[in-house]
Amino acid sequence: MAAAEELTLLEKSLGLSKGNKYSAQGERQIPVLQTNNGPSLTGLTTIAAHLVKQANKEYLLGSTAEEKAIVQQWLEYRVTQVDGHSNKDDIRTLLKDLNSYLEDKVYLTGYNFTLADILLYYGLHRFIVDLTVQEKEKYLNVSRWFCHIQHYPGIRQHLSSVVFVKNRLYTNSH
Amino acid sequence: MRLFVSEGAPGNLPVLAAAGRVRGRAEVLISTVGLEECMVPFLTRPRVPVLQLDSGNYLFSTSSICRYFFLLSGWEQDDLTNQWLEWEATELQPALSAALYYLVVQGKKGEDVLGPVRRALTHIDHSLSRQNCPFLAGETESLADIVLWGALYPLLQDPAYLPEELGALRSWFQTLSTQEPCQRAAETVLKQQGVLALQPFLQKQPQPSPPDGRAVTNEPEEEELATLSEEEVAMAVTAWEKGLGSLPSLRPQQNPVLPVAGERNVLITSALPYVNNVPHLGNIIGCVLSADVFARYSRLRQWNTLYLCGTDEYGTATETKAMEEGLTPQEICDKYHVVHADIYRWFNISFDIFGRTTTPQQTKITQDIFQRLLTRGFVLQDTVEQLRCERCARFLADRFVEGVCPFCGYEEARGDQCDKCGKLINAIELKKPQCKVCRSCPVVKSSQHLFLDLPKLEKRLEEWLGKTLPGSDWTPNARFIIRSWLRDGLKPRCITRDLKWGTPVPLEGFEDKVFYVWFDATIGYLSITANYTDQWERWWKNPEQVDLYQFMAKDNVPFHGLVFPCSALGAEDNYTLVSHLIATEYLNYEDGKFSKSRGVGVFGDMAQDTGIPADIWRFYLLYIRPEGQDSAFSWTDMLLKNNSELLNNLGNFINRAGMFVSKFFGGYVPEMVLTPDDQRLLAHVTLELRHYHQLLEKVRIRDALRSILTISRHGNQYIQVNEPWKRIKGSEADRQRAGTVTGLAVNIAALLSVMLQPYMPTVSATIQAQLQLPPPACSILLTNFLCTLPAGHQIGTVSPLFQKLENDQIESLRQRFGGGQTKVSPKPAAVETVATAEPQQIQVLMDEITKQGNIVRELKAQKADKNQVAAEVAKLLDLKKQLALAEGKPLETPKGKKKK
């Protein structure tokens, strides 16, 4: 999914009606937003945070200093780790780490839904759709979290819904 | 909250600089962990720095840790900052890791390093100049500045990688670098080693493959050597096999040494010590010893080298001393010149000439330069208001007046220059002047004097600097001093004095005056050479063929980089001007200054009475050489460095290698059958050797010494892992393996003896005698590691090289030389405060760590059970923590950690 497309999804999920135009910069097609009353903004997470503020939903950036830092940390993770890697081994490590992190968490910050959940969901979608049932079971916590976010109102939109089997099939794996 | 950092992790820089923000708001405990330790339970690969929050959550992203510190201090997030941080993570970091990897791990330089980051640097520069703000996100320094500064600092602190044309970036970077939190973070993380401090970290990074190679795998320790390419290994093996045959023939000794067309001709000067002061350790490391290392290195490279120095003998101070001792000034100079010469001889300084300035040649050359300046209209005449002490009945030379600096208010400013702000002062501008001899207040009297018209010469000087500076090895402090002088504009400089003991001024009406030492002292280099050979002009009027390196402490920079070049340019006689001006910072003694009058510090003549050999002094002074910033001599540190680096590391390795040859192979170097592991070691040693050369070519003397110690650490570990003493008792194959390991080790020892030669000439000669190293191999150092001790070579008798320094011995020396108290060096923003332990206790811990480290390595080498290894590693880490605590250095991973 191109970054501009993702930002359009985000706008809709935030309830922003206007619809911005995005241009893309360089090889990596980094999104650029030309704002009306200021300089342009460059970068997926930068623009995303800007849109959140535009929609008056600052709570999605975290409410305490700790939460804010954690949200930004996972946004950085999204653009450096998730987007940076396409080889199988890296993705496996990434899912393994994320699975272990989410073991005792509902959302990335713990108990509050934030922008980090949205953008990580968008970023991981292309990998999760390709997982086998066995792999989904292996990354059980990621699957639980992913399934939860895709059912969060207004987030998934036209993206395909990933099916997760409720009953465990491979009891030996963990 | 708890902050985990690792030695040499670049992320420490911004994090420590930002940590200051939370002081007084929250408590940050800082702990040092190994680079390999996984501090974040859910992450597979180790990350440092890591912040563990009180809630149990972890921040493992450097920017997020900084962001958190800023948020805690009440700062609000904004779009512009977010944009910079996102750019830093996605664009800057990959480019920067590639550049640093090329620089530090692969030893590349110049455009190879700058290439990958140039676009990013230009981007910052343009943004800064476009928005016309001093900082990235506005008028004040903020999160974005700290994060980007921290990322860039390791590279940009070397001015070679801060392109001149990026002016906005430069001034932004320099502003931040001088701010206290940043400065402190830089000191803590880079430890005065510059970018090399990051070597352990960067070596563990995979080789970057730009533009999109951003894999962040952390290879486990055992596979570290694999970062070398097949090609590098193959080349190292080929070079090794060529052996002695690839050494060129030795340059014949010349007398006198004269430049040779088509060769590299290196002229080296050390600042001339003032004759009636016995030099202290700071003077010795600042010029004479530093220049000696470079001169010896230059000869090892077979460059045609002339190294000269001498005593600076004219001036009031000599006159006064003569009165005190009831001798003539000439007798005083004769007497003290010998004292100086003896001290430098003891320190094994390899002057080609050690001359003096009170010679007829000095008068001839000085007067010639003066006449040329005069006829070309570069000399002005003016009436000078001068300080005269009525009680002493004489005009006061600058060094005999003290007062309050008119620029910075420093109380003990000298009459010519303020030690604090470094600005030149006209003695009559001093506030509250005092005669240094009798402490009475001098009066202002007028007298006629001559001035060098510097403003008229300024343009020529700038032209010359414009040609000389780019690409040269002028130290950053020297560039900075010259730049700030030019920025303030040059003023006419008085070059005469009302004295008798000096070079006479050949001009009517000036019969009772002499040249000011700073006009003629730098001419001393020329006259000293003229006394050595009547063909001195082949060195000094030959800028096309001669490369002039001048060594000094930073207070001498204006005279060598500005006043003398102006005289020489104005004289229009094709003088050789300084190509590389190498200035050190100051060396302090324990916690204060050296002071002859207070009897604090070690002076040249006393060093020999301590019973510590000259080479140990040389080693320690060079190890702490104030390169880049001030450093301090410390007795305890000297003991530790001697016992850990020299005795346990270098001495231990060389001695073992030689002993194995004697004991197991009857004194003959055994056959070597290199395995792929051995070949990789060859390549690794070669890499470090190249690094040594690169550093010394840039006159980074202290840093290059580290390369020697690194190679011997590789060697120690190689012996430890391969255990020749066990294998020699085993099967035929085992015995052959023992032979290969011994042979390779003793060849590394031979290489080290040559690399060590500039630093410790006596020890180097001792090793070479013990190993019976063939003569050409003793005096030539190539950029390849050669097999210089082939199978069948017979070595001599091997004996230990170094002696342990004992604590009570050092303690009594400390008391004898005053300046007793030891304080822990400046600490980072927030640390666990701990008491410093006894050096003995530290030594015990270090020994234990070495032992434990060997156990761990052996287990790993045997591919032992994981749990067993983990248990031993845990013990090792615990010991390291204890040591860190004992040393009172929570941020340092203790010495004794030996990496491959």
Side-chain angles (χ1 to χ4, degrees):
Chain A
M1 174 167 50
E5 191 188 333
E6 181 174 348
L7 285 167
T8 310
L9 279 182
L10 179 66
E11 284 177 6
K12 286 196 189 133
S13 66
L14 290 170
L16 288 168
S17 50
K18 189 170 80 201
N20 290 303
K21 281 262 176 288
Y22 299 97
S23 50
Q25 189 188 70
E27 285 164 51
R28 295 198 301 115
Q29 295 287 294
I30 305 155
V32 180
L33 169 66
Q34 185 57 56
T35 54
N36 299 333
N37 45 358
S40 61
L41 287 176
T42 308
L44 178 74
T45 68
T46 304
I47 299 173
H50 174 79
L51 295 176
V52 165
K53 278 183 271 181
Q54 229 181 10
N56 287 322
K57 295 188 172 170
E58 264 98 345
Y59 59 85
L60 288 177
L61 297 174
S63 32
T64 62
E66 177 170 335
E67 246 185 36
K68 287 174 186 169
I70 290 175
V71 169
Q72 293 294 336
Q73 164 160 291
W74 289 106
L75 293 180
E76 182 189 310
Y77 190 83
R78 155 69 211 268
V79 287
T80 57
Q81 308 293 307
V82 179
D83 294 355
H85 295 136
S86 42
N87 91 51
K88 272 246 149 77
D89 281 347
D90 288 333
I91 294 305
R92 265 199 287 275
T93 310
L94 191 147
L95 290 173
K96 176 174 160 281
D97 288 358
L98 208 51
N99 194 55
S100 141
Y101 176 67
L102 288 169
E103 191 169 2
D104 56 355
K105 292 181 180 65
V106 183
Y107 302 105
L108 285 167
T109 58
Y111 301 109
N112 297 316
F113 176 76
T114 63
L115 179 64
D117 295 296
I118 306 177
L119 289 198
L120 214 61
Y121 162 76
Y122 288 151
L124 286 171
H125 189 274
R126 64 187 171 121
F127 301 118
I128 303 287
V129 281
D130 286 344
L131 293 185
T132 62
V133 176
Q134 188 175 9
E135 284 169 318
K136 284 180 202 159
E137 245 179 53
K138 183 175 173 194
Y139 307 117
L140 192 67
N141 303 314
V142 175
S143 299
R144 169 180 50 72
W145 165 83
F146 190 90
C147 189
H148 186 48
I149 305 300
Q150 73 175 352
H151 287 109
Y152 212 88
I155 300 296
R156 184 173 64 84
Q157 303 174 52
H158 73 271
L159 294 177
S160 60
S161 173
V162 181
V163 178
F164 294 92
V165 182
K166 287 236 174 80
N167 304 319
R168 300 191 67 167
L169 299 175
Y170 303 87
T171 43
N172 299 338
S173 69
H174 51 271
Chain B
M1 58 189 123
R2 237 180 127 88
L3 181 63
F4 297 98
V5 295
S6 288
E7 183 151 82
N12 296 350
L13 274 163
V15 165
L16 291 177
R21 293 267 162 171
V22 294
R23 204 175 312 153
R25 294 167 201 269
E27 196 187 3
V28 187
L29 292 178
I30 302 183
S31 312
T32 307
V33 297
L35 286 165
E36 297 294 331
E37 287 175 69
C38 295
M39 298 316 301
V40 187
F42 52 86
L43 291 183
T44 309
R45 288 162 188 150
R47 293 277 296 245
V48 270
V50 164
L51 185 69
Q52 185 182 17
L53 304 172
D54 296 338
S55 63
N57 261 325
Y58 290 91
L59 291 177
F60 54 83
S61 133
T62 300
S63 322
S64 299
I65 297 173
C66 296
R67 186 188 290 262
Y68 180 59
F69 288 151
F70 269 76
L71 285 165
L72 282 182
S73 73
W75 168 86
E76 294 286 345
Q77 321 195 60
D78 58 81
D79 287 343
L80 195 51
T81 304
N82 289 344
Q83 177 171 291
W84 275 117
L85 264 53
E86 184 174 358
W87 179 81
E88 193 266 345
T90 54
E91 303 285 319
L92 180 62
Q93 277 300 344
L96 207 50
S97 338
L100 287 173
Y101 190 90
Y102 296 146
L103 177 68
V104 178
V105 182
Q106 300 192 327
K108 294 183 177 164
K109 47 187 172 178
E111 201 47 41
D112 287 350
V113 173
L114 207 46
V117 283
R118 193 180 281 280
R119 229 177 69 192
L121 296 182
T122 311
H123 173 71
I124 303 174
D125 183 71
H126 286 183
S127 304
L128 283 164
S129 49
R130 215 174 27 231
Q131 75 194 27
N132 211 6
C133 279
F135 296 101
L136 294 173
E139 289 298 328
T140 52
E141 159 211 334
S142 183
L143 176 60
D145 300 293
I146 296 295
V147 170
L148 268 79
W149 171 85
L152 291 165
Y153 186 80
L155 187 68
L156 299 193
Q157 47 93 26
D158 182 345
Y161 298 112
L162 186 48
E164 294 274 0
E165 66 273 16
L166 304 181
L169 172 69
R170 284 177 82 92
S171 70
W172 168 81
F173 178 74
Q174 279 159 356
T175 308
L176 285 166
S177 299
T178 51
Q179 294 191 353
E180 214 243 0
C182 294
Q183 220 172 17
R184 276 230 300 247
E187 277 167 26
T188 313
V189 179
L190 297 190
K191 302 207 180 62
Q192 313 184 1
Q193 301 168 19
V195 71
L196 289 179
L198 306 184
Q199 200 176 23
F201 176 87
L202 290 167
Q203 274 175 342
K204 294 200 165 63
Q205 304 303 308
Q207 186 169 353
S209 50
D212 47 27
R214 289 201 278 125
V216 277
T217 47
N218 253 329
E219 297 294 328
E221 206 176 43
E222 292 93 303
E223 283 155 49
E224 203 182 308
L225 292 180
T227 51
L228 292 159
S229 72
E230 296 289 323
E231 211 183 0
E232 283 172 296
V233 174
M235 273 162 55
V237 174
T238 314
W240 156 268
E241 282 167 351
K242 280 192 191 144
L244 285 169
S246 53
L247 282 175
S249 55
L250 208 56
R251 284 184 62 90
Q253 287 268 348
Q254 281 181 306
N255 194 16
V257 185
L258 291 171
V260 180
E263 285 197 31
R264 173 141 198 224
N265 300 299
V266 180
L267 176 57
I268 300 169
T269 72
S270 153
L272 305 180
Y274 202 65
V275 75
N276 56 19
N277 289 336
V278 178
H280 58 65
L281 297 179
N283 304 136
I284 291 168
I285 182 65
C287 44
V288 178
L289 180 55
S290 296
D292 185 56
V293 173
F294 189 70
R296 286 173 179 275
Y297 172 72
S298 174
R299 294 184 195 116
L300 278 180
R301 293 299 296 272
Q302 300 257 76
W303 297 334
N304 187 29
T305 307
L306 183 71
Y307 174 24
L308 67 97
C309 185
T311 39
D312 171 14
E313 306 193 341
Y314 284 131
T316 344
T318 311
E319 278 184 352
T320 318
K321 191 86 173 178
M323 282 194 299
E324 276 170 26
E325 298 196 14
L327 297 168
T328 65
Q330 186 64 59
E331 283 167 337
I332 280 288
C333 294
D334 294 347
K335 177 178 162 190
Y336 281 95
H337 175 78
V338 175
V339 171
H340 275 266
D342 283 346
I343 290 172
Y344 302 132
R345 196 173 304 121
W346 187 77
F347 273 98
N348 232 317
I349 306 295
S350 63
F351 298 126
D352 292 295
I353 328 162
F354 185 71
R356 43 203 304 191
T357 55
T358 51
T359 65
Q361 288 287 0
Q362 176 75 4
T363 308
K364 194 174 147 210
I365 299 170
T366 306
Q367 292 189 348
D368 173 56
I369 293 179
F370 170 74
Q371 290 291 4
R372 289 176 150 270
L373 287 166
L374 188 70
T375 47
R376 283 164 182 75
F378 294 120
V379 178
L380 305 170
Q381 219 179 104
D382 202 359
T383 313
V384 176
E385 312 261 271
Q386 229 182 326
L387 293 175
R388 186 180 159 87
C389 177
E390 296 294 354
R391 190 176 317 165
C392 302
R394 60 173 187 175
F395 282 105
L396 291 180
D398 291 347
R399 63 177 72 228
F400 285 93
V401 200
E402 234 178 46
V404 178
C405 172
F407 303 104
C408 73
Y410 178 61
E411 302 252 340
E412 287 169 50
R414 289 185 282 134
D416 53 350
Q417 193 175 15
C418 171
D419 279 337
K420 181 110 182 283
C421 67
K423 289 218 170 78
L424 281 207
I425 296 173
N426 217 333
I428 54 163
E429 292 168 0
L430 277 179
K431 293 180 197 157
K432 295 191 211 153
Q434 275 190 340
C435 168
K436 259 182 102 170
V437 177
C438 68
R439 290 286 153 202
S440 60
C441 180
V443 294
V444 177
K445 280 263 166 79
S446 58
S447 130
Q448 277 291 312
H449 279 284
L450 297 172
F451 287 76
L452 186 59
D453 194 348
L454 293 178
K456 214 166 162 181
L457 288 158
E458 190 167 340
K459 212 171 145 247
R460 293 186 195 200
L461 181 78
E462 292 203 46
E463 252 169 49
W464 167 70
L465 285 170
K467 272 187 290 177
T468 304
L469 285 181
S472 77
D473 297 327
W474 282 50
T475 49
N477 54 359
R479 289 169 195 256
F480 180 79
I481 290 167
I482 296 299
R483 208 181 299 137
S484 62
W485 269 59
L486 287 171
R487 191 192 53 218
D488 298 346
L490 299 182
K491 293 171 191 64
R493 186 93 193 123
C494 187
I495 55 169
T496 50
R497 283 293 184 270
D498 292 284
L499 281 181
K500 288 190 195 69
W501 187 238
T503 305
V505 181
L507 191 67
E508 227 184 279
F510 286 85
E511 291 81 2
D512 55 346
K513 296 182 205 271
V514 297
F515 283 112
Y516 180 33
V517 286
W518 275 116
F519 178 67
D520 82 329
T522 40
I523 297 172
Y525 301 123
L526 284 60
S527 73
I528 288 169
T529 316
N531 281 303
Y532 166 73
T533 167
D534 52 8
Q535 302 180 69
W536 65 276
E537 289 174 333
R538 286 177 61 189
W539 282 108
W540 285 101
K541 293 186 183 177
N542 192 359
E544 292 79 21
Q545 289 181 1
V546 174
D547 228 354
L548 173 58
Y549 285 82
Q550 299 202 289
F551 288 78
M552 66 204 70
K554 66 178 172 189
D555 54 340
N556 268 338
V557 170
F559 307 106
H560 290 78
L562 217 133
V563 178
F564 180 72
C566 279
S567 307
L569 289 165
E572 295 175 356
D573 207 7
N574 195 32
Y575 281 104
T576 305
L577 294 178
V578 58
S579 333
H580 310 282
L581 201 160
I582 314 297
T584 53
E585 301 287 318
Y586 297 131
L587 179 77
N588 293 317
Y589 179 74
E590 297 278 343
D591 269 348
K593 278 188 175 183
F594 283 87
S595 165
K596 185 84 189 163
S597 54
R598 283 180 288 127
V600 173
V602 181
F603 288 77
D605 51 346
M606 306 169 185
Q608 27 193 318
D609 305 333
T610 55
I612 298 171
D615 267 13
I616 306 298
W617 284 103
R618 289 177 62 114
F619 168 81
Y620 182 62
L621 289 173
L622 291 162
Y623 193 93
I624 56 166
R625 180 172 186 258
E627 215 164 279
Q629 55 185 294
D630 291 358
S631 63
F633 173 90
S634 142
W635 285 105
T636 316
D637 189 45
M638 177 154 151
L639 172 142
L640 286 172
K641 292 297 169 333
N642 178 74
N643 293 355
S644 63
E645 292 293 4
L646 289 182
L647 196 68
N648 287 351
N649 177 10
L650 188 68
N652 182 40
F653 169 66
I654 292 174
N655 191 244
R656 279 170 101 188
M659 285 309 286
F660 291 158
V661 177
S662 311
K663 251 170 60 187
F664 303 145
F665 301 96
Y668 292 91
V669 175
E671 283 295 332
M672 289 161 268
V673 183
L674 301 184
T675 64
D677 270 351
D678 301 333
Q679 296 181 341
R680 278 215 297 277
L681 178 68
L682 278 188
H684 228 69
V685 170
T686 306
L687 197 70
E688 202 60 50
L689 172 63
R690 297 256 162 91
H691 203 180
Y692 167 92
H693 279 299
Q694 276 157 11
L695 290 167
L696 276 179
E697 281 169 17
K698 292 255 160 230
V699 208
R700 301 264 294 276
I701 294 172
R702 191 194 54 197
D703 292 342
L705 180 54
R706 305 278 202 273
S707 291
I708 299 178
L709 299 172
T710 303
I711 291 182
S712 98
R713 262 192 276 276
H714 285 318
N716 267 322
Q717 198 170 19
Y718 177 65
I719 292 184
Q720 205 57 38
V721 168
N722 287 290
E723 302 179 316
W725 64 93
K726 280 191 193 159
R727 290 183 195 260
I728 192 71
K729 298 178 200 135
S731 66
E732 183 55 36
D734 272 343
R735 284 207 301 281
Q736 192 198 51
R737 183 76 196 129
T740 303
V741 172
T742 303
L744 186 47
V746 79
N747 269 287
I748 295 177
L751 172 71
L752 285 171
S753 78
V754 188
M755 292 172 77
L756 200 56
Q757 203 270 346
Y759 295 87
M760 304 178 84
T762 311
V763 171
S764 162
T766 309
I767 302 169
Q768 295 179 344
Q770 290 184 5
L771 299 181
Q772 295 283 303
L773 187 63
C778 294
S779 322
I780 302 177
L781 188 60
L782 301 184
T783 49
N784 283 320
F785 174 27
L786 312 179
C787 176
T788 51
L789 300 176
H793 170 91
Q794 187 177 12
I795 67 164
T797 313
V798 176
S799 59
L801 297 167
F802 302 109
Q803 283 200 328
K804 191 167 178 179
L805 287 177
E806 299 297 340
N807 199 31
D808 42 358
Q809 178 191 1
I810 284 295
E811 199 43 54
S812 78
L813 286 171
R814 188 211 307 281
Q815 294 195 342
R816 196 162 119 203
F817 293 105
Q821 72 288 359
T822 35
K823 271 193 208 134
V824 184
S825 50
K827 294 204 168 177
V831 293
E832 294 161 312
T833 43
V834 281
T836 314
E838 290 297 307
Q840 252 166 335
Q841 194 187 334
I842 292 176
Q843 190 60 50
V844 170
L845 277 169
M846 282 172 43
D847 292 346
E848 279 184 41
I849 287 173
T850 312
K851 265 190 237 155
Q852 186 65 24
N854 288 336
I855 295 177
V856 170
R857 271 186 292 277
E858 276 164 43
L859 284 174
K860 283 188 178 174
Q862 295 159 8
K863 308 263 183 251
D865 175 61
K866 260 191 181 170
N867 293 333
Q868 196 190 346
V869 175
E872 295 299 334
V873 168
K875 272 191 214 163
L876 178 62
L877 290 175
D878 184 54
L879 281 169
K880 285 183 182 175
K881 266 177 206 149
Q882 284 181 35
L883 178 65
L885 285 173
E887 287 185 322
K889 285 186 255 177
L891 276 176
E892 255 179 81
T893 311
K895 294 281 164 352
K897 180 191 169 193
K898 309 271 159 47
K899 59 180 179 55
K900 265 191 210 172

